[in-house]
Amino acid sequence: MLKYLLKRIFQMFVVLFVVSVIVFCVMSFTGDPVLMIVPPTATDAQIAEARIALGLDRPLWEQYSVFLGNLLRGDLGVSYMFKRPALTLIVERMPATLELVFLSILISLAVALPCGVFAGARPNSPLSRAIMGGSLLGISLPSFWVGILFIFYFAVEKGLLPSSGRGVTGLLFGVPFAFLTWDGFRHIILPAVTLALGTLAMLIRLIRAQIMEVMRQDFIRFARAKGVSWSSLLFSHALKNALVPVVTVFGLQVGSLIAFATVTETIFAWPGMGKLLVDSINTSDRPVIVAYLMIVAAMFVLINFIVDIVYTLIDPRVDLR
Amino acid sequence: MSEYLLEVKNLKTCFELFRGTVKAVDGVDFTLKTGEILGIVGESGGGKSVTGFSLLGLIDAPGRITGGEILFRGEDLLKKSEEEMRRIRGKEISMIFQDPMTSLNPLQTIGRQIDEMLALHTDLSSAGRRARILELLNEVGIPTPEDRLDCYPHQFSGGMRQRVVIAIALAANPRLIIADEPTTALDVTVQAQILKLMENLVKKFGSALILVTHDLAVVSEMTHRVVVMYCGKIVEEAPTAELIRAPRHPYTKGLLGSIPRITGVRTPRLPQIPGMAPHLFDLPKGCSFAPRCGYATERCREEVPAMRELSAGRRAACHNPVSTEKRTAGNG
């Protein structure tokens, strides 16, 4: 186990190194941040001065080695716009994104598990067909459109829920979270549901397919021959066997939700990391973009690692080595 | 109550498929007494397994039991609700499946899988169940059962898994066990052990056993009586010894003839039944076996033969049953 752990940690570093190279190269081809920073009236001399001050005059490999050196010390650079460390900016926004993602995941699981299991167990019932039709909509409809529709209906027409912002936040371990206050909770509902829809729909389809596959297996028939009840058959025999592929996809989905909550956060003006990313791209705030991508990459790697551990908890046949 | 534990009368199970209706079991009758071992023999697709599953009410859509009666201890199982059947499955009638590699849940310990059966059908406390599980595992010949309780199926060999399956089938002390090709997936050496084990346990527990198999060697060693099925119908029924010595239906004769013999006269080629079993979608007009039968006459191709009593306890559905004296090369 320890050997496996060390191997995985080594792999994580390799992946993050490769990501850092790619991110750094791609970023240096996109736009000139110097022009965004200096005032429009700046002279050529002033622009050149700013370029030198930012270190952007040096060759790419040199810029990269400085970046890497700083990275290893935990320094991801200073935002051009905010004049504050990029890492701090992102970490400040992280709770907002994480609570949004966490709630979306809860919604997805709470809906997808029962719906998927039911649709898989009774594929021909009208309710299953309705679930499958609904999930197709959930997959096909783009979240920006659904989000706008939600705002139009629930916020503008009915005035039931607020359309933007995070509302009043409460403190937990000194970190502000919106879901702790009633006002904040009302603010989080629409973006969380919007964000959940795609994942939810995909999980329903995946769980259904897996349950249908498992229900054909011999051991299910054998369990029925033992006199096991229908619900126990589904939840204690079939579901666990259906879960391994579901966990894989679910892990990847959690990663993408964190990384790409961007669209939803922009629509609902949710002050999370995604919105910070979009703002930073608009202003060519390179250190923030690079730092954001590095952090997201690290999260992906970490989630995949957790998924692998979860496999072993589900399936005794999986051997990590 | 009747003298029989199980009486199957004119059982019909159909599968409604896209291409049409398949009569997988077409008017099957047989009886079984307590403690008796009955063999159901035939080629693949002959309706043997479907008969077994029909008894437990485990026929899934598009399949359906369309007629007949299954009298178990005098009560018709076909009239029972799903909930009532659930209490009969495992407790009164249990089943052993063909492939031990797939019939156990891979994600549950074997202890838990046996425990589930006991929890469903007995009033034992959890300590009592544990003691019973150890006893059962010991009974089926699993060494050091205490250490094996928390093992998963993949940590067992095929033969060991089938022993576990047998332990599960016996756990609630059922009156009838249906074994669907219980040794087909096992090594030959293990086959013999498992069969011996089943025979002994059935005797010890006083259960009746239906052994569904295509293996006549297995049948000849274990069963008291044999039912031979072909294309969903019973073609011959007889006490095992008599059937082996003098088969009356040409199909049975063909099956027996295609077993290689070590002793006696060596034939240059192993005899086999010519042709293939017809597809259940397009059965021939008369006797289903007629196209492959060396004894077939014009009548066989026109008229479905009815089941006839040939002698006490022997019956066959054939217009021209093989005479007990005649030794023709015909099919055999």
Side-chain angles (χ1 to χ4, degrees):
Chain A
M1 192 61 195
L2 184 71
K3 202 177 150 202
Y4 172 76
L5 224 91
L6 290 174
K7 203 174 106 189
R8 280 307 289 251
I9 290 170
F10 174 72
Q11 280 176 356
M12 268 188 228
F13 278 105
V14 173
V15 169
L16 289 180
F17 172 74
V18 172
V19 169
S20 75
V21 173
I22 295 172
V23 164
F24 200 84
C25 291
V26 171
M27 284 320 296
S28 52
F29 297 128
T30 54
D32 189 348
V34 180
L35 296 177
M36 300 294 292
I37 291 166
V38 296
T41 54
T43 60
D44 282 356
Q46 282 171 320
I47 292 175
E49 203 178 313
R51 198 179 296 280
I52 292 166
L54 291 172
L56 292 173
D57 57 326
R58 288 188 267 176
L60 194 59
W61 62 267
E62 211 179 306
Q63 288 182 34
Y64 179 73
S65 63
V66 171
F67 164 76
L68 195 64
N70 289 339
L71 183 67
L72 292 177
R73 287 198 306 276
D75 175 7
L76 281 158
V78 175
S79 161
Y80 298 156
M81 291 294 134
F82 299 93
K83 310 291 181 213
R84 293 175 59 205
L87 190 63
T88 314
L89 279 173
I90 292 168
V91 170
E92 273 173 11
R93 308 288 188 107
M94 208 180 261
T97 298
L98 289 185
E99 72 173 328
L100 182 63
V101 167
F102 191 70
L103 193 63
S104 302
I105 290 168
L106 282 186
I107 295 171
S108 312
L109 286 181
V111 179
L113 277 176
C115 286
V117 170
F118 180 84
R122 296 249 186 271
N124 294 321
S125 90
L127 184 57
S128 298
R129 288 178 202 276
I131 290 171
M132 292 315 284
S135 75
L136 203 60
L137 277 183
I139 286 183
S140 333
L141 297 178
S143 63
F144 63 86
W145 186 76
V146 175
I148 290 167
L149 215 66
F150 277 179
I151 290 176
F152 179 72
Y153 188 75
F154 291 104
V156 180
E157 287 276 294
K158 298 282 168 191
L160 287 172
L161 295 164
S163 65
S164 73
R166 203 176 168 203
V168 182
T169 56
L171 286 182
L172 181 69
F173 306 122
V175 183
F177 284 107
F179 71 89
L180 294 173
T181 67
W182 175 240
D183 181 57
F185 186 70
R186 275 162 49 83
H187 277 83
I188 203 173
I189 293 176
L190 284 185
V193 171
T194 308
L195 189 59
L197 279 181
T199 306
L200 186 160
M202 206 188 56
L203 283 180
I204 287 181
R205 299 186 82 83
L206 185 67
I207 292 172
R208 169 184 178 264
Q210 287 302 318
I211 289 280
M212 285 176 76
E213 178 68 34
V214 171
M215 289 305 276
R216 273 195 288 269
Q217 309 266 325
D218 264 4
F219 68 84
I220 291 292
R221 219 175 206 202
F222 186 60
R224 283 177 69 195
K226 281 161 83 174
V228 173
S229 72
W230 186 248
S231 60
S232 161
L233 196 66
L234 277 178
F235 288 97
S236 86
H237 287 276
L239 184 59
K240 206 176 171 195
N241 275 281
L243 276 186
V244 168
V246 175
V247 167
T248 312
V249 173
F250 180 71
L252 292 173
Q253 278 294 313
V254 173
S256 349
L257 283 182
I258 294 173
F260 306 110
T262 318
V263 175
T264 311
E265 285 181 4
T266 309
I267 295 168
F268 291 95
W270 187 261
M273 305 192 306
K275 191 155 181 310
L276 177 69
L277 175 71
V278 173
D279 293 346
S280 304
I281 291 173
N282 284 335
T283 54
S284 284
D285 199 344
R286 238 185 240 178
V288 178
I289 301 171
V290 172
Y292 173 86
L293 292 175
M294 289 306 296
I295 286 174
V296 166
M299 278 182 173
F300 256 98
V301 174
L302 191 69
I303 288 168
N304 267 316
F305 175 63
I306 294 171
V307 164
D308 282 357
I309 302 287
V310 171
Y311 284 159
T312 58
L313 299 180
I314 295 179
D315 193 337
R317 289 166 297 181
V318 174
D319 192 6
L320 297 178
R321 249 174 311 188
Chain B
M1 197 180 284
S2 77
E3 59 173 314
Y4 297 112
L5 176 69
L6 178 75
E7 254 182 294
V8 178
K9 292 181 182 168
N10 198 26
L11 178 68
K12 289 184 181 181
T13 305
C14 294
F15 286 82
E16 269 150 49
L17 303 177
F18 186 65
R19 277 179 60 191
T21 303
V22 166
K23 292 177 187 165
V25 177
D26 188 9
V28 162
D29 304 88
F30 62 86
T31 57
L32 192 67
K33 288 178 194 155
T34 303
E36 196 176 17
I37 303 182
L38 174 77
I40 300 184
V41 197
E43 282 169 289
S44 317
K48 310 169 304 221
S49 296
V50 178
T51 305
F53 284 115
S54 299
L55 297 183
L56 273 178
L58 287 180
I59 300 293
D60 289 321
R64 203 158 56 86
I65 297 176
T66 53
E69 285 177 7
I70 299 170
L71 299 175
F72 180 74
R73 306 180 72 208
E75 291 177 49
D76 190 353
L77 297 185
L78 297 181
K79 294 204 175 76
K80 300 246 180 225
S81 70
E82 175 63 20
E83 190 53 32
E84 288 170 318
M85 276 312 286
R86 206 169 65 64
R87 277 189 293 257
I88 287 171
R89 288 180 200 136
K91 173 145 186 63
E92 300 283 337
I93 307 176
S94 68
M95 196 153 178
I96 297 168
F97 281 33
Q98 174 168 5
D99 190 352
M101 294 305 193
T102 57
S103 50
L104 293 170
N105 186 337
L107 306 187
Q108 283 185 0
T109 62
I110 59 138
R112 193 167 155 208
Q113 298 192 49
I114 304 175
D115 187 64
E116 183 177 41
M117 191 76 151
L118 293 170
L120 279 168
H121 301 299
T122 67
D123 302 326
L124 294 171
S125 65
S126 101
R129 293 205 299 268
R130 195 188 144 86
R132 176 87 176 120
I133 294 169
L134 294 176
E135 193 185 308
L136 281 163
L137 286 177
N138 203 27
E139 203 82 70
V140 296
I142 288 182
T144 60
E146 300 83 14
D147 307 336
R148 304 300 251 160
L149 278 185
D150 295 325
C151 287
Y152 289 92
H154 72 276
Q155 292 161 310
F156 284 68
S157 67
M160 281 297 181
R161 285 189 217 188
Q162 198 64 307
R163 286 170 196 268
V164 173
V165 170
I166 292 171
I168 293 173
L170 288 169
N173 214 343
R175 287 169 210 274
L176 171 62
I177 298 171
I178 302 166
D180 185 10
E181 308 251 8
T183 56
T184 307
L186 302 175
D187 287 346
V188 183
T189 46
V190 182
Q191 276 187 17
Q193 294 169 11
I194 294 285
L195 288 172
K196 199 74 212 156
L197 174 75
M198 281 175 51
E199 196 177 357
N200 291 341
L201 289 175
V202 165
K203 256 182 214 151
K204 188 169 169 187
F205 284 63
S207 314
L209 174 69
I210 295 179
L211 186 66
V212 175
T213 180
H214 63 264
D215 191 342
L216 275 164
V218 168
V219 161
S220 69
E221 279 188 30
M222 269 185 78
T223 62
H224 304 131
R225 235 158 15 94
V226 187
V227 158
V228 182
M229 284 186 75
Y230 186 74
C231 292
K233 290 193 167 76
I234 292 181
V235 295
E236 182 166 9
E237 181 185 345
T240 308
E242 284 185 42
L243 184 104
I244 303 287
R245 196 181 64 238
R248 300 298 302 274
H249 196 284
Y251 177 62
T252 317
K253 188 173 152 67
L255 282 181
L256 283 167
S258 47
I259 299 172
R261 286 175 208 290
I262 307 175
T263 55
V265 191
R266 268 191 72 135
T267 41
R269 253 188 101 115
L270 185 64
Q272 56 176 11
I273 304 175
M276 296 226 309
H279 199 280
L280 290 170
F281 276 118
D282 34 25
L283 289 178
K285 193 171 155 205
C287 173
S288 302
F289 188 59
R292 305 170 71 186
C293 180
Y295 299 84
T297 60
E298 207 45 51
R299 188 178 167 210
C300 298
R301 282 181 262 276
E302 292 298 325
E303 186 188 326
V304 179
M307 183 58 82
R308 284 189 296 159
E309 180 114 16
L310 300 172
S311 58
R314 290 207 69 163
R315 55 192 183 125
C318 184
H319 293 306
N320 311 308
V322 184
S323 128
T324 37
E325 287 84 38
K326 201 166 69 184
R327 288 269 178 267
T328 46
N331 242 322

